[in-house]
């Protein structure tokens, strides 16, 4: 069975602070995907990043960076110099690699990030 | 290009009724997935349709069903509604042009309230 734990239910920061959202996962699969999504108040999920289990390179995209550590089963997400527009609920998700382009995700409970001006 | 559209956006039903939700994927996308989001259970995968066939299914009772039409539009149906079915139902579409992961694009959701 797969499990994703986002221990931080809510994080509150002041604009320009750096913030890290934690994600720890459990799976017996040797090949899998990890994801981060953003859910703004409007409701639709916005894809942020996908990482394959065999690719442990960290990634940076603008103010966003991700740290994947297979040894600790963690896939943490850092926002540098946070902005009010970053306020949203962030979900970490895990899926086995099913092939054929399909996947079955298991989501964490989400972390609500509030960025105060 | 238009995004994923879901109709209706809001719906109120009573226990025991049935409901049908609709999802129109991005033009050219052939895979449609459905998700349920509740405060209690969080975000959960319901099922995925590809080329009019259910390709994957989450752990939900048979009251939850879906289908996909030849134009890739999809509907999901919930029969004999229960209070616990109150949720935001999200639909996502993807292109499916490679055997690797294909990014999903989500719609705004349908907010279902069961009274």
């Amino acid at each position: 069975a797969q499990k994703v734990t986002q221990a931080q239910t809510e994080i509150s920061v002041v604009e320009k602070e750096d913030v890290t959202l934690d994600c720890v996962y459990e799976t017996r699969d040797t090949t899998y995907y990890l994801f981060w999504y953003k859910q703004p108040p409007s409701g639709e999920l916005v894809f942020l990043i996908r990482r394959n289990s065999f690719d442990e390179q960290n990634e940076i995209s603008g103010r966003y960076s991700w740290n994947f550590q297979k040894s600790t089963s963690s896939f943490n997400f850092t926002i540098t110099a946070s902005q009010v527009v970053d306020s949203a609920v962030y979900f970490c998700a895990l899926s086995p690699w099913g092939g054929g382009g399909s996947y079955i995700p298991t989501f964490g409970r989400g972390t609500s990030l509030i960025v105060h001006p | 290009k238009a995004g994923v559209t879901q109709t209706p956006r809001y719906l109120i039903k009573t226990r025991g009724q049935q409901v049908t939700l609709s999802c129109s994927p991005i033009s050219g996308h052939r895979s449609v997935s459905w998700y349920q989001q509740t405060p209690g259970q969080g975000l959960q995968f319901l099922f995925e349709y590809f080329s009019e066939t259910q390709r994957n299914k989450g752990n939900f009772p048979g009251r939850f069903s879906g289908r996909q039409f030849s134009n890739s539009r999809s509907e999901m149906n919930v029969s004999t509604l229960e209070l616990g079915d109150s949720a935001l139902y999200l639909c996502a579409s993807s292109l499916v042009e490679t055997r690797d992961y294909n990014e999903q694009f989500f719609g705004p959701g349908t907010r279902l309230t069961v009274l």
Side-chain angles (χ1 to χ4, degrees):
Chain A
Q2 300 183 119
K3 185 178 178 182
V4 176
T5 302
Q6 294 180 256
Q8 305 147 309
T9 304
E10 183 176 295
I11 300 176
S12 184
V13 299
V14 176
E15 211 170 17
K16 295 184 185 169
E17 279 187 41
D18 297 348
V19 58
T20 296
L21 310 182
D22 297 332
C23 173
V24 174
Y25 64 92
E26 296 174 30
T27 181
R28 293 179 184 172
D29 296 305
T30 54
T31 308
Y32 50 88
Y33 293 118
L34 292 162
F35 305 84
W36 276 95
Y37 292 91
K38 174 181 180 180
Q39 187 175 41
S42 54
E44 76 273 21
L45 283 175
V46 177
F47 167 84
L48 295 177
I49 190 173
R50 168 188 59 107
R51 182 52 86 218
N52 298 335
S53 55
F54 47 83
D55 179 5
E56 285 193 71
Q57 273 194 325
N58 292 326
E59 183 156 339
I60 298 174
S61 177
R63 296 184 297 107
Y64 295 170
S65 62
W66 292 269
N67 183 287
F68 175 30
Q69 298 216 346
K70 213 167 176 178
S71 59
T72 56
S73 297
S74 65
F75 186 42
N76 297 335
F77 172 31
T78 297
I79 301 175
T80 303
S82 59
Q83 299 176 0
V84 173
V85 293
D86 295 328
S87 297
V89 180
Y90 291 85
F91 291 94
C92 180
L94 165 70
S95 171
W97 185 82
S102 74
Y103 81 123
I104 305 173
T106 297
F107 290 88
R109 295 308 300 268
T111 296
S112 177
L113 175 64
I114 302 168
V115 182
H116 299 281
Chain B
K1 202 183 241 187
V4 178
T5 57
Q6 294 187 244
T7 56
R9 292 293 311 279
Y10 301 91
L11 203 48
I12 299 176
K13 292 285 188 179
T14 56
R15 276 183 302 174
Q17 286 188 310
Q18 76 165 20
V19 67
T20 299
L21 312 181
S22 180
C23 172
S24 292
I26 292 172
S27 177
H29 285 197
R30 296 194 291 155
S31 168
V32 173
S33 296
W34 288 90
Y35 300 84
Q36 182 198 63
Q37 186 174 22
T38 63
Q41 299 300 316
L43 195 53
Q44 294 181 284
F45 170 77
L46 276 158
F47 30 63
E48 181 211 1
Y49 285 87
F50 174 65
S51 292
E52 302 177 62
T53 301
Q54 187 180 87
R55 183 158 71 165
N56 290 301
K57 188 178 189 307
N59 189 24
F60 277 82
R63 297 186 299 108
F64 292 82
S65 63
R67 59 178 175 168
Q68 186 180 33
F69 302 95
S70 58
N71 62 357
S72 294
R73 189 178 71 84
S74 176
E75 290 180 345
M76 68 161 281
N77 184 278
V78 188
S79 62
T80 320
L81 283 165
E82 301 176 359
L83 295 178
D85 296 332
S86 294
L88 178 67
Y89 289 89
L90 292 165
C91 163
S93 74
S94 62
L95 192 54
V96 193
E97 58 182 359
T98 71
R99 288 185 57 80
D100 198 358
Y101 168 77
N102 296 274
E103 181 183 344
Q104 292 193 328
F105 295 83
F106 285 80
T110 293
R111 174 76 63 184
L112 171 66
T113 302
V114 182
L115 302 176

